[in-house]
Amino acid sequence: MKDNYLRMLQLLEGIRQPVAVPTGSAGLYTEIVRDQLHLVFAAKVEGQVHRARLSTRLSGDEQIRIEDLTGTQPLLDSQTPNPFSGQGVSTFLVNTLLETLGNVLPEYAVLSGRLKAPQSVTFEPLAARRNFWRRFGFEIESWGEGKERVVGTLGTLNAYPEQLLGGPAQEGVDLLHLHLVS
């Protein structure tokens, strides 16, 4: 599995893919740093470019660790609403990860990550974060006092179609097969 994951990173290096959204221009691109894969979604909304990122890394022989999912929190700062919040951007990134990994890694590969506390429980209850991951098939496990993680095997996880920035429902992008489509 490790060899497949590392080869996948080589193939994904430098991919830039436009993504159709009704609000203007958007795109998905990859950043590879050693054994880390960063899927970055960027879109221009109301004259400002916003980015969200899903980061993973190889963890052990048969595990992929979801390091972070950033850029879609409810607030950009203490008062400014985030235009990506609740707009399907996080779902699009997770769907893209599942579509891409599903073509390379075995069904028994484990994806896991720490469930971090939300920026503000007023705007985003912890239950909302749990439900977000559960809809893909992840389980929530307790691993210490107040600590939780999401965990699932690739073969049991599914994409969850959702509208992206007000457009049609999307299941994500299979990054490894982009070059086969003209």
Side-chain angles (χ1 to χ4, degrees), residues 9 16 18 32 40 43 52 75 91 97-98 105 112 122 125 137 152-153 161 167:
L9 294 182
R16 296 189 177 284
I32 310 299
V40 182
L75 298 173
T91 299
L97 179 68
L98 295 177
L105 302 180
S112 67
T122 303
T153 56

Side-chain angles (χ1 to χ4, degrees), residues 114-178:
R114 187 173 149 223
L115 189 62
K116 297 179 181 177
Q119 175 187 23
S120 166
V121 293
T122 303
F123 294 109
E124 184 185 17
L126 188 54
R129 286 196 175 197
R130 289 181 189 121
N131 290 336
F132 171 80
W133 292 101
R134 281 184 181 129
R135 66 183 167 177
F136 300 100
F138 285 94
E139 293 181 18
I140 309 300
E141 294 180 348
S142 178
W143 55 282
E145 192 172 316
K147 296 178 182 176
E148 295 177 320
R149 72 182 196 134
V150 298
V151 64
T153 56
L154 193 54
T156 64
L157 301 174
N158 296 302
Y160 180 88
E162 186 172 40
Q163 287 186 324
L164 179 61
L165 297 175
Q170 296 203 20
E171 289 191 7
V173 177
D174 175 0
L175 292 173
L176 288 175
H177 291 97
L178 286 176

Side-chain angles (χ1 to χ4, degrees), residues 31-42:
E31 293 176 344
I32 310 299
V33 180
R34 291 181 297 283
D35 69 343
Q36 288 185 318
L37 167 63
H38 303 285
L39 300 177
V40 182
F41 178 83

Side-chain angles (χ1 to χ4, degrees), residues 13-106:
E13 178 74 47
I15 286 182
R16 296 189 177 284
Q17 175 67 32
V19 177
V21 295
T23 58
S25 60
L28 177 69
Y29 63 94
T30 61
E31 293 176 344
I32 310 299
V33 180
R34 291 181 297 283
D35 69 343
Q36 288 185 318
L37 167 63
H38 303 285
L39 300 177
V40 182
F41 178 83
K44 194 170 193 176
V45 179
E46 298 175 7
Q48 296 264 353
V49 174
H50 297 275
R51 288 179 182 77
R53 183 176 76 178
L54 175 62
S55 301
T56 65
R57 82 169 339 128
L58 189 61
S59 174
D61 289 333
E62 296 174 0
Q63 288 199 23
I64 303 298
R65 180 171 166 80
I66 299 169
E67 294 284 315
D68 214 354
L69 177 57
T70 61
T72 60
Q73 68 277 9
L75 298 173
L76 293 173
D77 55 40
S78 62
Q79 297 180 350
T80 310
N82 184 346
F84 278 4
S85 180
Q87 297 298 310
V89 175
S90 292
T91 299
F92 177 77
L93 288 170
V94 174
N95 284 342
T96 297
L97 179 68
L98 295 177
E99 289 286 326
T100 302
L101 293 180
N103 289 306
V104 176
L105 302 180

